[in-house]
Amino acid sequence: MDLGFGNENQIIGDATASTILRATQAQEAALQSELSRYDALLESTDSELEALRERRLAQMKQSAEQRRKWLENGHGIYADLLESVGGSAQHGGDVAKAFFETAKKSNRMVVHFHRPTTRSCDAFHRALADLAPKHPETRFVKINVEGCDDVREGGAGGGA
């Protein structure tokens, strides 16, 4: 392909055309493979289709069971950590205990450490409340840091 701008641009143009051609061929091969899978599915016998149906049904049941377990563990909602585990005290040890108990039950957990007096936390609350139902595989909790003792440092009522 002659671009009319001299040899240097010709080399770049040839390289670009070659790259586009390879990418197009790879996409075509992927589409052909996908079409072959569908053709094979259309030619399947009833017993093969029944086996495929049974495998998919088992996957769906497993997914539903996993989702049920997540919801039982408090996934799917954005809640205060202590309220979600039935506590109300705001002592650092109580929060730490609730945090670790909750973390043991969940593979994924998003924690928002907030202060009620900080206005920007309200934006996080709204965003996390919107995200929680969309991601039941993740536990979303908030922890109010005001009034919590810093037990690591032996803070205000904590003490070692």
Side-chain angles (χ1 to χ4, degrees):
M1 160 175 36
D2 186 8
L3 299 176
F5 295 111
N7 191 33
E8 200 171 293
N9 283 334
Q10 186 67 40
I11 293 170
I12 293 172
D14 289 342
T16 303
S18 174
T19 302
I20 292 172
L21 179 63
R22 282 195 307 271
T24 304
Q25 289 171 338
Q27 285 180 335
E28 186 176 347
L31 282 173
Q32 190 60 43
S33 172
E34 189 75 15
L35 286 172
S36 296
R37 281 185 352 138
Y38 287 124
D39 287 342
L41 188 59
L42 289 173
E43 296 169 3
S44 298
T45 64
D46 286 342
S47 62
E48 291 170 332
L49 291 175
E50 187 61 30
L52 177 65
R53 181 182 172 281
E54 291 297 323
R55 281 194 309 271
R56 183 62 186 128
L57 189 58
Q59 288 173 342
M60 290 170 61
K61 286 180 181 179
Q62 184 180 11
S63 294
E65 178 63 21
Q66 181 63 57
R67 183 176 174 83
R68 185 190 62 75
K69 287 180 182 177
W70 284 332
L71 295 177
E72 281 179 3
N73 283 333
H75 291 229
I77 58 170
Y78 175 58
D80 187 274
L81 178 66
L82 287 177
E83 291 174 9
S84 68
V85 295
S88 60
Q90 192 64 23
H91 181 270
D94 296 335
V95 173
K97 182 179 178 184
F99 173 80
F100 286 112
E101 286 176 3
T102 303
K104 288 177 190 175
K105 294 177 184 176
S106 301
N107 289 336
R108 297 178 182 168
M109 192 162 92
V110 172
V111 182
H112 178 216
F113 297 96
H114 73 96
R115 289 179 185 226
T117 57
T118 305
R119 290 185 125 175
S120 59
C121 287
D122 293 338
F124 275 101
H125 291 313
R126 283 190 298 276
L128 293 173
D130 288 343
L131 281 174
K134 296 175 184 174
H135 295 278
E137 72 280 2
T138 304
R139 178 83 187 262
F140 288 81
V141 297
K142 59 184 172 183
I143 297 175
N144 180 356
V145 296
E146 285 185 357
C148 283
D149 294 334
D150 189 353
V151 294
R152 180 181 51 89
E153 296 292 330

